[in-house]
Amino acid sequence: MTIAEVRDKVKRIKDGIEPEVLQCMDENANEMAVSVREQLYSGIDGRGAPLSPSYSEDPWFQNRRAGFYDEEYDMWVPCYMHPERYIAWKEHITPPEPSSRLGLPARDIDTPNLFIVGTFHGSISARGTSNGVEIFTFGWDEGPAVERKYGSQIFGLSDPAVAHFNENFLWPWLRNWFETL
C-alpha cells in the first residue's frame, strides 16, 4: 500500500466513522429501548442509580387514595401510610430477579421497577436523531408523569447497557465497515 493509499483510507475513516456510528445506533435503536426496559425492571436508571423515591419514601403513600387493585383477591387494597403492603404486592407480581441481557443484579424489594402490567414499559420507544438516539415514552398518557416523577435519566443507558450495545452491535458493525474500506 502506498502512502497516498494509506492517506486516502485514513481520510475515509475520519470522514465516515461518525455517520457509521449514527447509522448503527439508528438501525438498532430498539435494542437500546429494550436495555432501558431491563434497567428499569432491575430498578436502576441510566446512571446505574436505584430508582428514587423508593416505595418506603414515596410521598404517594401519604395520599388517602393510595392503594392497588389485587386481581388475585378481586379487591382494592388501601396503602395509605402502609407502603409495606404495596411492597409485598409488587414482590409477588414482579419478583426481583437478575437481568438476563445486561447481567444486572435483582433489585431490592423497596426499589420501584415501574412495571405493574407493562403499560409504561411498553410505551418506551427509541428513534435515531442527528446526535444519536432518543429514548422516550410514547402512546400512554401517564408516561410523561412517570418521567417527571423519576427523572429523564430513566431513559439513559447505564454503563452495562452501553457495554452490551457496543459489544453486540457497534463493534461488529464497525468491524464490518472497516473490512469494506
Side-chain angles (χ1 to χ4, degrees):
M1 192 178 280
T2 68
I3 291 175
E5 290 170 331
V6 170
R7 182 193 67 227
D8 290 344
K9 194 169 195 168
V10 168
K11 182 173 178 5
R12 284 196 311 271
I13 291 169
K14 176 184 163 287
D15 293 343
I17 196 159
E18 184 175 347
E20 283 298 317
V21 168
L22 290 173
Q23 184 177 354
C24 175
M25 292 172 73
D26 181 43
E27 289 188 23
N28 294 289
N30 187 56
E31 294 297 331
M32 294 182 200
V34 169
S35 290
V36 165
R37 288 184 203 107
E38 187 168 314
Q39 289 172 179
L40 294 176
Y41 196 90
S42 296
I44 66 167
D45 65 21
R47 297 176 304 204
L51 296 177
S52 179
S54 67
Y55 295 132
S56 60
E57 297 171 339
D58 195 327
W60 182 73
F61 291 104
Q62 303 305 311
N63 178 336
R64 290 199 181 273
R65 294 182 303 163
F68 62 92
Y69 184 76
D70 190 329
E71 290 182 11
E72 185 175 342
Y73 296 103
D74 192 28
M75 64 182 282
W76 176 257
V77 179
C79 290
Y80 174 61
M81 301 293 290
H82 298 286
E84 63 277 355
R85 291 179 184 166
Y86 189 80
I87 291 168
W89 178 69
K90 282 294 298 236
E91 184 176 21
H92 173 73
I93 67 165
T94 58
E97 56 189 36
S99 71
S100 57
R101 287 172 55 141
L102 304 179
L104 300 171
R107 73 184 186 283
D108 181 270
I109 62 168
D110 192 30
T111 301
N113 65 355
L114 309 184
F115 191 99
I116 296 175
V117 296
T119 307
F120 177 66
H121 282 233
S123 77
I124 296 171
S125 190
R127 65 177 160 236
T129 68
S130 61
N131 295 323
V133 171
E134 175 187 21
I135 302 171
F136 55 96
T137 179
F138 178 76
W140 183 50
D141 292 344
E142 296 301 313
V146 173
E147 181 180 4
R148 280 190 302 278
K149 181 174 184 173
Y150 291 96
S152 61
Q153 67 276 5
I154 62 174
F155 296 123
L157 293 176
S158 66
D159 289 344
V162 170
H164 173 80
F165 184 82
N166 288 347
E167 182 178 329
N168 294 284
F169 299 96
L170 184 58
W171 300 140
W173 180 288
L174 290 177
R175 271 193 295 279
N176 185 51
W177 176 67
F178 277 115
E179 290 173 5
T180 65
L181 293 175

